[in-house]
């Protein structure tokens, strides 16, 4: 990991990441308790890890996504996605006020599409080419 990414991730964890990750963990626990919503819980835990340490990683769409992901994303949007997206938006506003907080505000805005539609996406390292991953078929 590059030193600047490490510094940004540590500052992010202190100022925004920890609180956003708590929101995702709460959503994930609720989804896992309801059993039928376990896939959303797993996606929520995956995004919580990304929310803790976002610099140097990106969210990309998985190749060969099933049509069920679209239906699942719609259900997620209605029950949890828009709350989490609103949390990212509200957290980004005070971060944009200071010059030091601008990268953190952008990181929050970058997570909004992922928080709205998490199924069919994965988190990869930013320095990894998008087509370089091997997928089992």
């Amino acid at each position: 990991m590059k030193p600047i990414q490490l510094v940004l991730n540590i500052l992010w964890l202190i100022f925004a990441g920890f609180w956003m990750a708590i929101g995702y963990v709460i959503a994930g626990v609720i989804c896992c308790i309801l059993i039928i919503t376990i896939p959303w819980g797993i996606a929520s835990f995956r995004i919580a890890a990304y929310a803790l340490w976002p610099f140097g990683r990106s969210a990309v769409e998985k190749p060969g996504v099933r049509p069920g992901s679209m239906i699942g994303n719609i259900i997620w949007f209605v029950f949890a996605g828009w709350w989490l997206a609103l949390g990212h938006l509200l957290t980004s506003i005070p971060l944009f006020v200071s010059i030091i907080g601008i990268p953190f505000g952008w990181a929050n805005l970058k997570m909004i599409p992922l928080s709205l539609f998490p199924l069919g996406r994965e988190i990869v390292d930013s320095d990894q080419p998008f087509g370089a991953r091997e997928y089992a078929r």
Side-chain angles (χ1 to χ4, degrees), residues 8-134:
L8 287 171
N9 278 320
I10 291 170
L11 291 172
W12 166 264
L13 183 66
I14 294 167
F15 293 113
F18 181 73
W19 306 111
M20 293 310 301
I22 286 174
Y24 283 106
V25 168
I26 290 170
V29 167
I30 291 169
C31 288
C32 287
I33 288 173
L34 299 174
I35 298 176
I36 197 166
T37 56
I38 287 176
W40 292 284
I42 292 169
S44 185
F45 292 138
R46 186 175 55 242
I47 299 170
Y50 180 54
L52 281 174
W53 211 254
F55 293 97
R57 300 192 297 169
S58 298
V60 297
E61 290 191 30
K62 289 182 185 177
V65 175
R66 298 182 190 129
S69 294
M70 184 173 58
I71 296 167
N73 278 331
I74 292 169
I75 294 169
W76 172 264
F77 176 82
V78 170
F79 290 105
W82 71 276
W83 284 102
L84 293 166
L86 183 64
H88 282 295
L89 183 65
L90 293 176
T91 304
S92 70
I93 292 169
L95 290 171
F96 277 120
V97 172
S98 70
I99 292 174
I100 293 172
I102 290 173
F104 306 124
W106 279 117
N108 256 313
L109 294 180
K110 182 176 85 169
M111 287 187 208
I112 289 176
L114 181 63
S115 68
L116 290 172
F117 306 110
L119 300 179
R121 306 188 117 217
E122 69 177 333
I123 308 328
V124 297
D125 291 334
S126 292
D127 58 352
Q128 178 180 4
F130 293 116
R133 289 193 68 114
E134 279 291 322

